[in-house]
Amino acid sequence: MKEDEIRRLVKIVEESNIGELEITRWGRTIKISKGISGVPAVNNSGSLYHAAPPQPLPAVLSGQSTPAETTPEPVPVKTASGVEMKSPMVGTFYLAPAPDADAYVEVGKVVKKGQVLCIIEAMKLMNEIESEYDGKIVEILVENAQPVEYNQPLFLVEPA
Amino acid sequence: MHAEAPKGQGNYIDVAAVTAALAKQTIGQKIIPFRRMASTNEYAMCLSTGAVPDGTIIIAEEQTHGRGRHKRDWYSSAFLGLWFSIIRAPKSLEHITLIPLIAGLVIAKTLEEHFALSPKLKWPNDVLLSGKKVCGVLCESRVFSKKTAQLVIGIGMNVNHTKNDFGANIKDIATSLFVETGEAVDRTALLIYILQKMERELTRFEAGKIKQILDQWSRRCPHVGRAIYVTNNGQREFGVFKGIDNYGRLILEHSDGTNQHLAAGDTTINLKSQ
C-alpha cells in the first residue's frame, strides 16, 4: 500500500470515532490504531511508516458523547472501486508468461476485453486468463507466484 | 542393438483412416496435419475461438519447437512419435485442472490395453515405462470468463525411436514404445486408439465421475502413500503423498498431521524416510 493511501486511512481513523482499523491487502495487514495520546499508530507488517503529525485529540474521543448531528465517516473496506475478477480454477498465479518476461498488466493499465491478464498454472495446465471487461486495472489482489483457490479474487477492474 | 531404423519411419500417419475411424465422436472429426511445424500446441493456441470445430486435432510429423512446461523444449523428431494437440471447449472450468491427469491416464490405459505394458504415472501427468518418460502432456487454455474457455491438450509420445534417436542429454530419462517392446508400432492405429479412449474418459469426467478417475489414476502412481518430497522453485516440501484432491492437486501430509494441497512441483521418493 502506498504511503499516501496510508495517510488517507490514518486521517479517516483520526477523524472518526473508531479506535482501530485493520485492512488486509496483498496478503499484508495494515493496522491503524489510536494510541493513548490519540495519535494513530500504523503497523504495516513490520515496515515503519510515519503517521500524520500529532493532532489535538478530537472531542469525540475525549470521553464526551458524540453529538447527534455528527455522523462518523464510514470506513471504506476498499479504497478503490471496481469489479472483482475471480479465479476460475485453483493453481499458481503468474503475472508474466515466463520468469524473465514482462508482466502482462500493472495497476493503472487500461485493458481490453479478451486481453490476457495473468496465467494460472495447475498440474502443468497453463491457463491464460483473459479480461472479461474493457477497463482499468485498479488493483492486483494476488502476488506473483502465489497459490490461488477457486473463486479467489485476482484483480479489481474498473469497467470503462 | 537397435541401430536399424524401425519399420514405419518415413511413413506419414494416415489421417484419412483416423478421421474415418472417429466419425462418430467429437474428438478427431477434423484433423489438420502438418509435415513440420514449430509446435502443435502453439498453433492450436493461436487459432481464434470457433475457427475450428470442437475436438479438432492439430498433428505434426515433426515439431521443431515442441513445448514443455514454462516453454521448455520437447524433443520431437520426424516420423518417430505422435505429436498432436486436441482442441476442446470444456463444459465447466472448476475441475478443468484434472484434465492433465486424465490425459496421462488415457495414455497409461492405452499402453496397458494395446501393448500389455505396465506404465506408471507420475504426478501430475507424466507417463513412465521402466522409470523413463515415454509420453509428456502439456495442456494450455485460454479462459474467456468464469465459465468459458478453449482448452488445448498437447500430447507428445515417443513411439518408434531407437535408443540412438535420443540425444545424450535425455537418453537416460526418455524411452519409446519401440525401445520397450522391440517392435515397430503402427502410429495410425495407436493414434486412433488414444483418441477413442480420450473421448470416453472426457465424457466420463464431464458426467462427474471424478472419484472413479482419481482412483484409477492413483492405482497407477507408485508415489501415492509414500514419503516423498516435492520440489518447486528450488524449495522442497517433505511429507507423505496422501492422494489427489478433486482439483487434481497433490495432498501432502506433513509430519505434524497437516495437509497441504499442491498444484505444482516435481515429486521424488524420499529414501531417507523409508
Side-chain angles (χ1 to χ4, degrees), chain B residues 2-270:
Chain B
H2 297 302
E4 192 182 328
K7 192 180 150 207
Q9 183 166 352
N11 291 342
Y12 283 79
I13 291 161
D14 186 345
V15 171
V18 178
T19 43
L22 304 177
K24 288 186 180 156
Q25 65 174 57
T26 308
I27 292 176
Q29 272 197 44
K30 182 180 173 67
I31 297 182
I32 307 178
F34 289 86
R35 159 65 184 82
R36 183 164 75 178
M37 73 189 317
S39 148
T40 59
N41 257 40
E42 188 177 270
Y43 183 94
M45 286 290 284
C46 284
L47 288 171
S48 297
T49 319
V52 292
D54 191 26
T56 295
I57 311 288
I58 314 296
I59 189 159
E61 292 291 352
E62 179 182 3
Q63 290 187 114
T64 53
H65 293 89
R67 274 152 66 172
R69 185 171 172 254
H70 287 309
K71 312 212 186 285
R72 287 197 285 245
D73 280 354
W74 172 268
Y75 177 74
S76 16
S77 47
F79 302 110
L80 295 180
L82 285 178
W83 326 119
F84 64 98
S85 300
I86 303 166
I87 297 170
R88 181 84 173 174
K91 295 265 192 297
S92 87
L93 298 193
E94 184 178 356
H95 296 283
I96 193 179
T97 46
L98 276 169
I99 300 269
L101 282 78
I102 293 169
L105 183 60
V106 164
I107 299 299
K109 286 185 170 184
T110 299
L111 300 184
E112 290 163 7
E113 294 164 14
H114 206 67
F115 301 98
L117 291 165
S118 300
K120 301 290 179 218
L121 293 172
K122 185 170 188 282
W123 184 82
N125 58 7
D126 284 342
V127 185
L128 307 178
L129 286 171
S130 312
K132 295 178 177 179
K133 195 159 162 176
V134 69
C135 181
V137 176
L138 179 70
C139 297
E140 298 178 75
S141 86
R142 281 166 47 215
V143 178
F144 315 124
S145 73
K146 273 205 72 184
K147 291 197 169 79
T148 54
Q150 180 156 295
L151 172 69
V152 172
I153 305 168
I155 293 181
M157 192 165 183
N158 303 329
V159 183
N160 284 326
H161 301 63
T162 64
K163 282 186 178 173
N164 294 336
D165 288 317
F166 295 113
N169 55 333
I170 57 166
K171 70 178 172 53
D172 293 334
I173 54 169
T175 190
S176 74
L177 291 176
F178 178 75
V179 169
E180 296 299 320
T181 64
E183 287 175 24
V185 173
D186 176 349
R187 290 181 305 142
T188 301
L190 177 59
L191 179 62
I192 291 169
Y193 201 92
I194 291 170
L195 295 178
Q196 285 172 336
K197 201 140 220 58
M198 188 70 79
E199 175 100 358
R200 278 202 293 278
E201 292 295 329
L202 289 180
T203 304
R204 191 163 68 131
F205 164 67
E206 282 160 2
K209 304 265 172 34
I210 290 178
K211 190 183 177 300
Q212 218 178 63
I213 291 167
L214 293 180
D215 285 348
Q216 293 186 359
W217 192 94
S218 298
R219 277 209 297 276
R220 292 169 173 86
C221 177
H223 287 186
V224 173
R226 306 272 305 267
I228 61 162
Y229 57 85
V230 184
T231 314
N232 194 25
N233 293 328
Q235 293 195 319
R236 281 182 181 181
E237 295 281 354
F238 290 81
V240 173
F241 190 156
K242 293 298 281 183
I244 303 290
D245 74 10
N246 282 346
Y247 295 114
R249 289 181 296 191
L250 184 158
I251 306 168
L252 190 69
E253 186 185 58
H254 294 286
S255 52
D256 63 1
T258 58
N259 285 340
Q260 190 179 6
H261 294 239
L262 298 169
D266 293 316
T267 59
T268 311
I269 291 284
N270 183 9

Side-chain angles (χ1 to χ4, degrees), chain A residues 50-123:
Chain A
H50 294 293
Q55 300 286 326
L57 190 61
V60 289
L61 295 167
S62 60
Q64 296 174 14
S65 60
T66 309
E69 63 273 18
T70 56
T71 313
E73 197 172 323
V75 179
V77 178
K78 288 194 181 99
T79 55
S81 64
V83 286
E84 282 179 342
M85 269 197 56
K86 293 179 177 173
S87 184
M89 62 198 63
V90 301
T92 310
F93 174 87
Y94 290 107
L95 268 168
D100 53 353
D102 289 339
Y104 288 113
V105 290
E106 52 200 42
V107 171
K109 187 163 176 175
V110 173
V111 295
K112 291 275 178 204
K113 184 177 182 203
Q115 184 175 335
V116 177
L117 302 183
C118 65
I119 282 182
I120 295 175
E121 182 196 6
M123 284 50 85

